[in-house]
RNA sequence: GCGGCUGUGGCGGAAUUGGUAGACGCGCACGGUUCAGGUCCGUGUGGGGGAGACCCCGUGGAGGUUCGAGUCCUCUCAGCCGCACCA
């Protein structure tokens, strides 16, 4: 019934998966010799529904790297876990009433099944989900370590508020200023929130980008996100209020051109300054409107510049001029000091505001904006040039020089100093959500926030009645859980009811894998130092900023606490491209979603895995094609049929002593393939060309099969199996087993026989004036003169050289001769 | 607006250091196997010209450097992504 001549991936794959499962082939010890360890890690999946094509690509990539690395003699840690807390499971619970724990467990089970069917080489002894108390106990512990060192703190902040669902939203839940779920316009509310002090690490996060091998565009994105600006803090005094107001500016060289002064609506002195003045009511109304408006609305640069005068002035420290104060929503409280000096001649925004409010525009740098019309004054001009119109010795000085001199002057006068500012904000980690890690803090009326004692960890996430948001954290409804005694004074107190952002969970999971079953500590320093940093991290670009920045920050914080001995978590990073369908992102609404499971059912895991790697360069987006899958399946079938037609040598993969004719050709091709695949895997992520090299080898086997000796063919086929193993581990194993009687994963990576990479002759390309005119067979060792002679005597060369005068002869040994003529 | 990425046959892509453009796969065409279809095997396949040997053109576009450019430089067009009132 069963056709023996037919490649049957399912029986092959199940058979080897059983071996790997029972022998625990991919498990590694915690205390491996650090000089031999390599840590290969793919970003852990968020378990929601079934794995999709992006997962298949991610883990096929990582597994190829892991397999290849193992066979080069390294001990490889290749673990798996689940980023299990998060909003989708909670939203599902709100809709269906099913506890997030149940839907998450179902999804995890599905991921586990699929990963096993795909044959991914995972050390299952280290598996965990971030929602398990044995994991989040340590998330809480680490949070408290940060709290004790002041790295975690609580303050009031503006957060996104959905008036319809009566809940706070995560930034990720706000799309175009609207609530992702109900579509209501999001408001801003001031609430007490927990933050992690990532801004303390801004400079190190920036500098250490130089030490890690990451794609340049990811580093650039992180640099832009951190947004370091150098400038100065300058003090403007408001005499009538007897208060100094510092501002941050990147252009202290334009200080003489400051003609007004603007404060953010959130600035706490705004109402006080306006009080009693003629604009008091107007200011109050303006501030009230501004602070309830969405960031989305306020953030637009195209928006007209509005604002209200405060009815007071400040003194420009360099010239003593009194300039008017305003409140305007284009100034952000979160950046700098929440107040700015406005230089309308040299700043686009200040210019727009000055025009709208009839304020003076004073040029202090010579130059004109190139985009300004010929009849305009060329303002606002933000370029460089000499200073002008200051009425001091600075006039005529180039602004670059004036920058430093003005800052020095301010410093001497006690009116300012050089300063650095960052775009990066502290990381807001509290979420008014149920399905997350509880923040281990107890609020006591007497003692304030008190950490939960270490011995009481973990603070278990309690079961609750309803998940629907009611204007406060869902956990607040678990009265029995919330009410506790203060660990410090024993008085009645209440637990913190916010949970942590899920990015906290995923900021340290890679450390836990190193020592996943430790119930005494988050990890032992020895285990972590043996494996970390991750040698190769692989995941989607969508995490280029948040996850990858948070994890770097976390590692640096752990390093400073002495918990780890390194301060970058991921030495090398690879970001994979998306798999699209008909050129578009797969989504349920487009109806173009295809699942890996159906392809694994139809063609086997090896075909599905090979195809996602063959489809194109892995860092680029690639479009899925069913015909392409069949092509890869055909290739694997052809390799299987070759192995099926051969008797096993039972003695390993052995290159024949001295093959000749077709046999020699095959042995050479096999060595060429070894060389090609090794280079493609070892020095770049070129899986697509590596697979095509094995295809070429297989094609040559078919081409030469009738003329070659069996030993050479066996060597070529076994080599093909051995080389394809990292991409198609089951078939690779099957072929090496059948033909050579060895277990592919235990075989060292094949070594090239350099003598087989060379041949006696090569094809010499003959050019005249850079154009190919002929090709001739040339001996490999021939010298330049001999090559020129050969080229000149090639038939079509003779025709092109006839009657021409030679100007120059260029020889590239082993490749070509180019004769330049007139 | 700022920053980044990508443009190569009918399609996905290859060309690692400036040295034969189009490897490999898909698709298509023809032939073989087969009762037939499919499978499988083989041959061909950038465009144009020529009976043919061959010739011309060709890597988004325009220039440039070079004996030689998909690759380096300048300008430019198109598409995608990230950030965006950050003083």
């Amino acid at each position: 019934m069963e056709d023996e001549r037919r490649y049957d991936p399912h029986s092959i794959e199940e058979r080897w998966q059983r071996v790997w499962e029972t022998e625990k082939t991919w498990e590694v010890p915690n205390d491996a010799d650090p000089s031999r360890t390599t840590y290969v890690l793919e970003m852990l999946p968020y378990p929601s529904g079934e794995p999709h094509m992006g997962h298949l690509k991610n883990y096929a990539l990582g597994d190829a790297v892991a397999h290849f690395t193992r066979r080069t003699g390294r001990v490889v840690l290749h673990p798996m876990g689940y980023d299990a807390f998060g909003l989708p499971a909670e939203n599902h619970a709100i809709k269906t009433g099913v506890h997030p724990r149940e839907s998450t467990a179902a999804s995890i089970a599905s991921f586990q099944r699929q990963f096993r069917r795909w044959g991914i080489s995972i050390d299952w002894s280290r598996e965990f989900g971030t929602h398990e108390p044995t994991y989040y106990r340590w998330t809480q512990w680490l949070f408290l370590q940060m709290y004790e060192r002041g790295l975690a703190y609580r303050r009031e902040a503006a957060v996104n508020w959905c008036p319809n669902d009566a809940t706070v939203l995560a930034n990720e839940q706000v799309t175009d200023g609207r609530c992702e779920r109900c579509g209501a316009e999001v408001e801003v509310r001031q609430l007490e929130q927990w933050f992690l002090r990532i801004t303390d690490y801004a400079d190190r996060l920036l500098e250490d980008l130089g030490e890690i091998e990451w794609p340049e565009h990811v580093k650039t994105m992180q640099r832009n996100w951190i947004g370091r600006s150098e400038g100065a803090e300058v003090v403007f005094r408001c005499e009538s209020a007897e208060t100094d107001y510092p501002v941050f500016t990147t252009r202290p060289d334009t200080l003489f051109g400051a003609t007004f002064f603007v404060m953010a609506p959130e600035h706490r002195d705004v109402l006080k300054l306006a009080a009693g003045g003629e604009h008091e009511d107007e200011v109050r109304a303006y501030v009230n409107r501004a602070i309830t408006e969405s960031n989305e609305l306020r953030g637009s640069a195209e928006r007209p510049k509005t604002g209200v005068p405060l009815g007071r002035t400040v003194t420009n420290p360099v010239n003593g001029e009194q300039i008017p104060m305003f409140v305007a929503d284009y100034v952000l409280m979160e950046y700098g000091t929440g107040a700015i000096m406005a230089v309308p001649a040299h700043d686009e925004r200040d210019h727009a505001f000055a025009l709208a409010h009839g304020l003076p525009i004073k040029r202090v740098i010579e130059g004109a904006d190139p985009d300004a019309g010929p009849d305009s004054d060329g303002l606002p001009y933000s370029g460089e040039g000499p200073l002008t119109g200051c009425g001091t010795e600075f006039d005529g000085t180039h602004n670059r020089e004036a920058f430093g001199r003005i800052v020095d002057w301010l410093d001497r006068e006690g009116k300012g100093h050089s300063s650095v500012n960052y775009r990066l904000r502290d990381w807001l980690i509290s979420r008014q959500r149920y399905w997350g890690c509880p923040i281990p803090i107890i609020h006591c009326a007497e003692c304030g926030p008190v950490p939960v004692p270490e011995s009481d960890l973990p603070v278990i996430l309690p079961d609750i009645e309803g998940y629907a948001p009611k204007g406060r954290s869902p956990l607040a409804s678990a009265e029995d859980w919330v009410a506790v005694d203060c660990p410090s004074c024993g008085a009645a107190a209440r637990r913190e009811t916010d949970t942590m952002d899920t990015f906290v969970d995923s900021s340290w999971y890679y450390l836990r894998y190193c020592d996943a079953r430790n119930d005494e500590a988050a990890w032992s320093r020895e285990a972590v130092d043996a494996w970390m940093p991750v040698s190769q991290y692989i995941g989607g670009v969508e995490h280029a900023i948040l996850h990858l920045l948070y994890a770097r920050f976390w590692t640096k914080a752990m390093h400073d606490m002495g918990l780890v001995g390194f301060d970058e978590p991921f030495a090398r990073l690879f970001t994979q491209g998306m798999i699209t369908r008909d050129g578009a992102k797969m989504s349920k609404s487009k109806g173009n979603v295809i699942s890996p499971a159906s392809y694994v059912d139809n063609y086997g895991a090896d075909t599905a895995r090979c195809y996602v790697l063959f489809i194109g360069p892995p860092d680029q987006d690639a479009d899925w094609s069913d015909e392409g899958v069949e092509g890869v399946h055909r290739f694997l079938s052809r390799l299987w049929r070759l192995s099926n037609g051969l008797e096993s040598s039972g003695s390993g993969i052995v290159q024949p002593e001295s093959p000749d004719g077709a046999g020699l050709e095959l042995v050479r091709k096999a060595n060429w393939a070894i060389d090609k695949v090794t280079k493609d895997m070892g020095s770049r992520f070129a899986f697509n060309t590596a697979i095509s090299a094995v295809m070429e080898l297989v094609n040559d086997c078919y081409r030469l099969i009738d003329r070659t000796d069996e030993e050479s063919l066996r060597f070529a086929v076994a080599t093909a199996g051995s080389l394809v193993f990292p991409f198609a581990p089951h078939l690779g194993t099957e072929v090496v087993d059948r033909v050579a009687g060895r277990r592919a994963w235990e075989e060292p990576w094949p070594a090239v026989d350099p003598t087989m990479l060379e041949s006696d002759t090569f094809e010499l390309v003959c050019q005249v004036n850079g154009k190919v005119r002929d090709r001739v067979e040339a001996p490999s060792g021939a010298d330049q003169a001999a090559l020129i002679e050969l080229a000149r005597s090639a038939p079509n060369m003779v025709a092109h050289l006839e009657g021409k005068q030679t100007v120059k002869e260029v020889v590239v040994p082993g490749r070509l001769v180019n004769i330049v003529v007139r």
Side-chain angles (χ1 to χ4, degrees), chain A residues 655-726:
Chain A
Q655 181 174 311
E657 253 345 293
S658 45
D660 59 1
L664 177 60
E665 212 178 317
L666 258 185
V667 171
R668 278 190 176 140
K669 187 69 181 184
N671 275 281
W672 168 86
I674 292 170
D675 189 50
K676 173 81 177 149
V677 175
T678 306
K679 284 176 177 160
D680 284 352
M681 293 292 293
S683 57
R684 47 188 208 148
F685 268 56
F687 305 89
N688 53 334
T689 50
I691 292 170
S692 79
V694 184
M695 286 175 169
E696 285 193 50
L697 176 56
V698 168
N699 289 347
D700 273 13
C701 288
Y702 276 91
R703 185 168 63 81
L704 299 168
I705 196 164
D706 294 331
R707 290 183 280 142
T708 177
D709 61 290
E710 185 153 332
E711 222 186 323
S712 299
L713 181 65
R714 193 179 292 119
F715 172 69
V717 172
T719 299
S722 177
L723 293 176
V724 89
F725 168 80

Side-chain angles (χ1 to χ4, degrees), chain A residues 103-119:
Chain A
S103 56
T104 301
S107 179
I108 287 176
S110 153
F111 274 71
Q112 289 168 327
R113 258 195 318 274
Q114 290 291 312
F115 290 154
R116 285 187 162 84
R117 283 199 67 196
W118 297 350

